[in-house]
Amino acid sequence: MSSLKRFQGSLEKLELALGDAKSTTTPYVCQDFSVAECIAAPWVQRIFVTLPYYRSMDFSGDILMAYPKVERWMEAVRNKPSVIASMCPEDEMKAAAERYYVSFVTKGAPAAAKASL
């Protein structure tokens, strides 16, 4: 199974979990912004930066369209003022990804153009 399929499987589980939430008036896992969102916030930020840059994917358009509850949750997490205030700059996220865990770049992605210079 491809890593994309595994990732989509995780998004499906999250979509179902968010659907089981008692309140539909809040996008958060719990009634309010919780530890779950605090833990997830850096990963949500990285996904939106690294997938377009290294995989040439529009995360919202290519993947999240199939998971509307996850998209609502991720947007709420990303737009929380405290998350925005503590966000790592995108260039630092990209540099860290290159140093520590990106070993493959999709042909045609912005990072591929940088690598060929």
Side-chain angles (χ1 to χ4, degrees):
M1 178 184 293
S2 74
S3 57
L4 179 58
K5 292 289 183 197
R6 285 192 304 272
F7 183 58
Q8 288 171 319
S10 296
L11 292 174
E12 182 66 33
K13 289 176 186 175
L14 181 56
E15 182 79 7
L16 293 172
L18 290 169
D20 291 341
K22 295 180 193 244
S23 171
T24 58
T25 61
T26 178
Y28 302 121
V29 172
C30 297
Q31 190 67 17
D32 297 311
F33 192 80
S34 69
V35 172
E37 283 81 23
C38 291
I39 292 169
W43 292 103
V44 170
Q45 292 168 345
R46 285 184 195 109
I47 288 168
F48 278 91
V49 170
T50 59
L51 282 181
Y53 190 69
Y54 294 103
R55 301 293 180 256
S56 201
M57 285 182 170
D58 172 9
F59 185 57
S60 291
D62 293 341
I63 296 174
L64 281 185
M65 289 176 57
Y67 310 100
K69 293 172 191 147
V70 175
E71 183 173 30
R72 179 178 177 230
W73 175 74
M74 285 186 169
E75 288 301 323
V77 169
R78 289 176 67 206
N79 292 317
K80 179 83 171 162
S82 58
V83 172
I84 292 169
S86 63
M87 189 164 137
C88 179
E90 286 188 17
D91 58 334
E92 289 182 28
M93 278 191 252
K94 291 172 186 174
E98 288 175 15
R99 278 193 306 272
Y100 299 114
Y101 59 86
V102 172
S103 59
F104 172 78
V105 176
T106 302
K107 186 177 182 178
K114 180 184 172 194
S116 67
L117 295 178

